[in-house]
Amino acid sequence: MRDVYLVGAGQSPFGAFPDRSYRDLFAEAYRAACDSVDGGLEAEDVDEAVVGTLGVGGRQLGLSGPAVTEHVGLHNVPCSRVENACAAGGFAVRNAVQAIKSGFADVVVAGGYEVMTDLSDDVTKYWLGVSGETEWERLTGTTFSGVYAQMASAYMTEYGATAEDLSRVAVKNHGNGAKNPKAHLDFECSLEDAVDAPTVADPLNLYHCCPTSDGAAVAVLASEDVVDEYTDERIRVAGVGAASERVGLAQRDRYTGISASQVAAETAYERAGVGPDDLDFAEVHDCFAIAELIAYEDLGFCEPGTAPELLREGRTDPDGDLPVNTSGGLKSKGHPIGATGTGQVVEAFDQLTGRAGDRQLEDPRPRYGLTHNVGGSGGASVVHVFEREPEGVAR
């Protein structure tokens, strides 16, 4: 099968935008992605489009993919919508990769969007809750933060982690997000602030939870046959892995890990021919602080129960061994559900091409980056490994 390359990526700001529509946000992300393609991208270049969205709030429930692609001039281009809860955007990228590898397309736009802040708190909780197990979680009153609070309680009980460990996730990611002009919560916080914040669902407090956000993000992928028409710097999609798992917590054997992420990571590493030690950075799904700790272990960054040590030792800081969530993550950058996975890919593209501004990792510039996108509390997961190919490498 053919190699696939990431030739462009862009996003709108993430935040609360009461005066903007989902089409408007998608158009901004699409224009940014087109502008990032060195050789330029025209509508007639695009063979296919895939759009990820949950469809929060009931707007354009049917044909939501074509609703945004026709708005940016992608007429007569086949477009499909992907819904995999919070992993919709990541799976949109995966579907785009599959379309190119299969030979059906040479250039595919993979995007995602969500507008979430124009709803009441009660309605927003409803729409977020549908990503959990319907009968035994949502309809019995369990909120999304409540589900992750159960996971946090189990992890803290089993491994002795503390509320301060959870708060270190917030401190790190807010520090990164403060350098990201597209971040929703673009401010730093102290460890004291993050420890003493009001409780949301014990043991999780306000600083342990990501915001609900509006936003869109778009990635442009191309086959090995045409990549040189669009860029001189090749960013290869080296490996992709995905898996599904039981949707409800009560159906699982353990709360302290997400098997779908473990399988997705193993598959992505195998296909890429690399392992966790080869990575230069990672964007992981930190909808709640506990999710980032669990991700470290699911993705093979450390052994079970040792994730807090990576934070305490600064190993996932921007100057650490493996920087995690240089964008600010969901915690600071924001979490517009359908755009989150594609937004992670935007950060990977920016880091690998040297466009990350004040967040740019140097000495040397990264070669391998990973994105990890989870749906619900682990019902679906997708992992991508990207490689900046050295100059002169031919495959």
Side-chain angles (χ1 to χ4, degrees), residues 194-207:
V195 169
D196 294 338
T199 298
V200 173
D202 190 48
L204 301 179
N205 69 34
L206 186 63
Y207 272 94

Side-chain angles (χ1 to χ4, degrees), residues 279-332:
L279 299 176
D280 297 303
F281 68 91
E283 287 286 302
V284 309
H285 198 93
D286 62 320
C287 50
F288 298 91
I290 185 60
E292 179 162 327
L293 294 180
I294 289 174
Y296 291 178
E297 298 169 13
D298 290 340
L299 299 172
F301 300 167
C302 61
E303 294 299 316
T306 63
E309 295 177 20
L310 269 65
L311 281 166
R312 295 172 195 155
E313 296 167 1
R315 293 173 59 192
T316 56
D317 289 348
D319 59 353
D321 300 335
L322 179 59
V324 173
N325 287 339
T326 54
S327 70
L330 285 64
K331 176 64 196 76
S332 174

Side-chain angles (χ1 to χ4, degrees), residues 103-192:
F104 264 62
D106 276 314
V107 178
V108 181
V109 166
Y113 74 84
E114 217 74 65
V115 172
M116 303 176 67
T117 65
D118 62 342
L119 305 171
S120 69
D121 291 343
D122 287 341
V123 173
T124 299
K125 284 189 288 188
Y126 171 85
W127 279 101
L128 290 174
V130 299
S131 298
E133 206 283 331
T134 300
E135 293 178 297
W136 300 107
E137 289 181 354
R138 182 172 64 81
L139 293 182
T140 57
T142 302
T143 62
F144 218 41
S145 54
V147 170
Y148 273 92
Q150 293 177 63
M151 297 169 74
S153 294
Y155 188 93
M156 294 165 77
T157 298
E158 184 168 348
Y159 297 120
T162 67
E164 190 169 288
D165 292 322
L166 297 175
S167 296
R168 285 193 176 91
V169 174
V171 173
K172 172 180 68 68
N173 291 350
H174 273 280
N176 293 338
K179 299 177 181 178
N180 187 347
K182 300 295 179 71
H184 187 167
L185 305 180
D186 57 349
F187 55 85
E188 296 182 357
C189 73
S190 68
L191 184 59
E192 182 180 9

Side-chain angles (χ1 to χ4, degrees), residues 10-365:
Q11 67 167 79
S12 73
F14 287 1
F17 307 113
D19 298 327
R20 302 191 64 179
S21 72
Y22 68 98
R23 284 184 167 118
D24 176 35
L25 291 165
F26 185 88
E28 180 174 357
Y30 177 75
R31 288 192 298 269
C34 291
D35 290 345
S36 74
V37 178
D38 294 334
L41 184 75
E42 302 296 332
E44 53 266 28
D45 297 334
V46 180
D47 299 314
E48 192 161 331
V50 190
V51 176
T53 180
L54 180 63
V56 171
R59 63 184 58 78
Q60 196 58 47
L61 288 178
L63 293 177
S64 57
V68 293
T69 55
E70 60 87 13
H71 187 66
V72 298
L74 296 180
H75 306 300
N76 300 319
V77 173
C79 178
S80 55
R81 168 193 173 186
V82 175
E83 187 284 297
N84 240 350
C86 313
F91 273 87
V93 174
R94 177 177 181 266
N95 285 11
V97 171
Q98 289 178 318
I100 294 172
K101 281 187 173 293
S102 71
F104 264 62
D106 276 314
V107 178
V108 181
V109 166
Y113 74 84
E114 217 74 65
V115 172
M116 303 176 67
T117 65
D118 62 342
L119 305 171
S120 69
D121 291 343
D122 287 341
V123 173
T124 299
K125 284 189 288 188
Y126 171 85
W127 279 101
L128 290 174
V130 299
S131 298
E133 206 283 331
T134 300
E135 293 178 297
W136 300 107
E137 289 181 354
R138 182 172 64 81
L139 293 182
T140 57
T142 302
T143 62
F144 218 41
S145 54
V147 170
Y148 273 92
Q150 293 177 63
M151 297 169 74
S153 294
Y155 188 93
M156 294 165 77
T157 298
E158 184 168 348
Y159 297 120
T162 67
E164 190 169 288
D165 292 322
L166 297 175
S167 296
R168 285 193 176 91
V169 174
V171 173
K172 172 180 68 68
N173 291 350
H174 273 280
N176 293 338
K179 299 177 181 178
N180 187 347
K182 300 295 179 71
H184 187 167
L185 305 180
D186 57 349
F187 55 85
E188 296 182 357
C189 73
S190 68
L191 184 59
E192 182 180 9
D193 289 337
V195 169
D196 294 338
T199 298
V200 173
D202 190 48
L204 301 179
N205 69 34
L206 186 63
Y207 272 94
H208 302 154
C209 307
C210 73
T212 54
S213 309
D214 307 329
V218 170
V220 181
L221 299 113
S223 73
E224 63 181 52
D225 298 330
V226 301
V227 61
D228 291 337
E229 298 176 23
Y230 298 100
T231 184
D232 294 325
E233 189 161 29
R234 293 183 166 206
I235 308 299
R236 186 170 69 98
V237 185
V240 183
S244 299
E245 168 60 306
R246 295 170 178 86
V247 174
L249 284 185
Q251 299 167 301
R252 301 180 197 168
D253 295 331
R254 55 193 290 262
Y255 287 9
T256 57
I258 294 174
S259 66
S261 292
Q262 296 163 12
V263 172
E266 290 167 3
T267 303
Y269 291 142
E270 181 179 356
R271 289 174 175 167
V274 301
D277 292 341
D278 297 301
L279 299 176
D280 297 303
F281 68 91
E283 287 286 302
V284 309
H285 198 93
D286 62 320
C287 50
F288 298 91
I290 185 60
E292 179 162 327
L293 294 180
I294 289 174
Y296 291 178
E297 298 169 13
D298 290 340
L299 299 172
F301 300 167
C302 61
E303 294 299 316
T306 63
E309 295 177 20
L310 269 65
L311 281 166
R312 295 172 195 155
E313 296 167 1
R315 293 173 59 192
T316 56
D317 289 348
D319 59 353
D321 300 335
L322 179 59
V324 173
N325 287 339
T326 54
S327 70
L330 285 64
K331 176 64 196 76
S332 174
K333 182 182 179 183
H335 184 26
I337 292 176
T340 292
T342 43
Q344 292 176 327
V345 173
V346 172
E347 182 70 9
F349 178 78
D350 286 348
Q351 288 290 349
L352 291 169
T353 58
R355 308 181 196 208
D358 291 341
R359 306 183 313 284
Q360 184 62 50
L361 302 172
E362 299 284 2
D363 301 324
R365 181 144 58 90

